[in-house]
Amino acid sequence: MFKTILVHVDLSVHAPARIRFACALAQAHNACLVGAAMVGVSRAVFPNGYDCKPGTLAASCFEPLANNAKRALENFEAIVGEWNIPYEERFVSDEADNGLTRHARFADLVVISQDDPEESMPDMAVQLPEYLIMNGARPVLLVPRTDPKPDRISSVLLAWDGSKEASYAMSGALPLLRGASEVNVVALAARDEEVQEFRDQQPALLDFLRRHEISPGFHIRDLRGDTGRQLLDLAAELNAGLLVMGCYGHSRMRELYMGGASRTVLADTTIPVLLAH
């Protein structure tokens, strides 16, 4: 079970849906929901916490940012008040990437939103989801910019390629897999040798999940084209409400320049995705 869920809190148009989704998860797992709002200024500027004397030049620069974080926490408190769950608020003197990464060390799961081109900076080399997945200590649950309702996740698609990243994602998703009414494991094979390798792994993988009271279906499909696109299409075909996958199993630089499953899913998913590196 998840006992501590960390959710990114800001003034984004997607923040209310993200927070409600995290609230539903916290309620389903009897977890404490921690809402973290970042000032947006590097921790190096305020190593001992945000502190600006009113009327100073520093205050004129940073006070509007601090007030935005406080407003975001007020919105968080108003939404959480609709749910019967324990919660905590964190006013974090840092930027979103480093701040969330530090606080993720003390959570079971981190909930953030998919990047939205209407709100993001497209020229950034690494966006917030990528940074957290690569540098954070916990799995990341990405809520798509379609802002789905916080319904129970009844069907899950688990992507399996035998990698450390896929195994970590599977372990991190166990509470969600146990709560689902249907779980399907899919392995995409490009060669006959990979088909045999996945068949060899199947008994151990299914035994592992069954010991956690999960009885999944297991599918081996031919890899055709973009892995990420095929996973999203399979999720739609199987009516999955959640995709679980390892992220950046190949070199991240290779995926940044050549594309790949991780980048496709991060950019194009319309369902929640749990990712781990």
Side-chain angles (χ1 to χ4, degrees), residues 12-14 114-122 127 145:
S12 160
V13 67
H14 300 291
Q114 180 185 27
D115 276 323
D116 187 338
E118 297 296 324
E119 292 193 315
S120 302
M121 297 176 63
Q127 302 289 347
R145 54 181 173 267

Side-chain angles (χ1 to χ4, degrees), residues 24 38 58 62-63 77 85 93 101 114 118 170 200 206 213 248 253 257 268:
M38 265 53 63
F62 299 128
E63 195 66 29
E77 186 173 8
I85 57 172
S93 298
T101 298
Q114 180 185 27
E118 297 296 324
M170 176 174 64
D200 292 342
L206 295 181
E213 301 177 356
Y248 295 116
M253 290 303 296
Y257 287 106
D268 296 342

Side-chain angles (χ1 to χ4, degrees), residues 11-125:
L11 295 177
S12 160
V13 67
H14 300 291
R18 177 200 320 144
I19 294 168
R20 289 190 175 92
F21 198 94
C23 285
L25 286 174
Q27 187 176 72
H29 296 274
N30 296 315
C32 177
L33 183 62
V34 178
M38 265 53 63
V39 173
V41 179
S42 172
R43 184 172 174 238
V45 178
F46 299 107
N48 300 314
Y50 178 79
D51 182 20
C52 275
K53 294 182 180 179
T56 64
L57 178 61
S60 67
C61 294
F62 299 128
E63 195 66 29
L65 299 176
N67 288 337
N68 285 342
K70 292 172 183 176
R71 283 174 51 212
L73 286 175
E74 290 172 358
N75 294 343
F76 168 75
E77 186 173 8
I79 293 172
V80 175
E82 303 168 4
W83 301 74
N84 184 27
I85 57 172
Y87 69 93
E88 297 177 4
E89 299 177 5
R90 303 277 169 81
F91 177 83
V92 182
S93 298
D94 208 342
E95 296 171 294
D97 49 11
N98 287 323
L100 285 169
T101 298
R102 287 192 300 114
H103 284 269
R105 295 173 297 175
F106 312 110
D108 299 302
L109 182 70
V110 184
V111 179
I112 61 174
S113 290
Q114 180 185 27
D115 276 323
D116 187 338
E118 297 296 324
E119 292 193 315
S120 302
M121 297 176 63
D123 58 338
M124 291 180 64

